[in-house]
Amino acid sequence: MINGVKDKDGNIKSLTPKQVADLLGHTTSEITELYYVKRDMKMLNGITDGFEL
């Protein structure tokens, strides 16, 4: 839900971690992010290519 789901029109629909926490009954989004949010690391590949680090 946080990473998004593509609808039939190709638009990506997503919720914030706080919205998902509320749906799951968590008092804060910290627990939700710690245990349920999996970041798609593929999206980060190459993000710093061309930077002088």
Side-chain angles (χ1 to χ4, degrees), residues 13 16 20 30 34 36 40 44 51:
K13 306 287 185 176
T16 66
V20 174
E30 290 175 359
L34 182 64
Y36 296 99
D40 185 357
L44 299 176
F51 285 31

Side-chain angles (χ1 to χ4, degrees), residues 1-4 15-40:
M1 289 187 273
I2 292 169
N3 289 338
L15 298 174
T16 66
K18 178 63 177 146
Q19 290 170 317
V20 174
D22 289 344
L23 287 171
L24 295 174
H26 299 159
T27 54
T28 69
S29 63
E30 290 175 359
I31 295 296
T32 309
E33 292 185 65
L34 182 64
Y35 292 104
Y36 296 99
V37 177
K38 305 296 182 223
R39 302 289 180 207
D40 185 357

Side-chain angles (χ1 to χ4, degrees), residues 44 46-53:
L44 299 176
I47 200 164
T48 57
D49 290 354
F51 285 31
E52 292 184 32
L53 300 174

